[in-house]
Amino acid sequence: MSGTALSSALEVADLGLRVFPAVPGKKIPAMEGWQEAATTDPLTIQQWFTEKPYSNYGIRTGLANNIIVIDLDGEEARKWWKSTGIEDSSAIVYSPRKDGGVTTTSVSTTSRLVIPDPSSTQA
């Protein structure tokens, strides 16, 4: 990917993933209604970055892009995640965080992904 947030947002959108503007240097959406506004339209994305050139961008998660994000806070959560076996059927990206946790991003290969309840006693 290219070096600027705009060029990266355009490249991601070109892959078919809906993006939205985010607060510079953060993951916080920079607009109200970002869920509905997220788009792959290059003209809209260019307009956002023209109006606020130092913006970051976010990728719409959930069913809109078949991307699921799960924050794993602590060792117990990471052990539970490993026990689910989900990583065997999905593309997984692990992003370590400064607080010691891990953000796990799954690009689902199916239209429905069922995640077991961590409080369940069933295997």
Side-chain angles (χ1 to χ4, degrees), residues 77-99:
R78 290 190 290 278
K79 285 180 184 177
W80 167 79
W81 177 254
K82 189 172 181 178
S83 76
T84 66
I86 292 171
E87 61 190 325
D88 295 335
S89 62
S90 302
I92 304 290
V93 177
Y94 296 97
S95 304
R97 298 192 319 249
K98 290 179 183 177
D99 66 2

Side-chain angles (χ1 to χ4, degrees), residues 22-35:
V23 174
K26 302 196 182 270
K27 299 185 287 185
I28 302 168
M31 65 189 310
E32 301 249 344
W34 61 271
Q35 298 95 327

Side-chain angles (χ1 to χ4, degrees), residues 5-93:
L6 171 59
S7 61
S8 295
L10 290 169
E11 288 180 44
V12 168
D14 192 49
L15 295 172
L17 297 174
R18 295 168 53 184
V19 300
F20 59 89
V23 174
K26 302 196 182 270
K27 299 185 287 185
I28 302 168
M31 65 189 310
E32 301 249 344
W34 61 271
Q35 298 95 327
E36 293 79 26
T39 186
T40 59
D41 179 55
L43 295 177
T44 300
I45 296 166
Q46 289 174 351
Q47 179 181 350
W48 288 337
F49 281 86
T50 299
E51 293 170 2
K52 295 183 180 179
Y54 298 103
S55 293
N56 195 4
Y57 73 98
I59 299 173
R60 170 88 191 264
T61 59
L63 294 178
N65 281 328
N66 285 330
I67 297 175
I68 298 165
V69 176
I70 301 170
D71 283 338
L72 301 173
D73 298 323
E75 187 60 31
E76 186 175 331
R78 290 190 290 278
K79 285 180 184 177
W80 167 79
W81 177 254
K82 189 172 181 178
S83 76
T84 66
I86 292 171
E87 61 190 325
D88 295 335
S89 62
S90 302
I92 304 290
V93 177

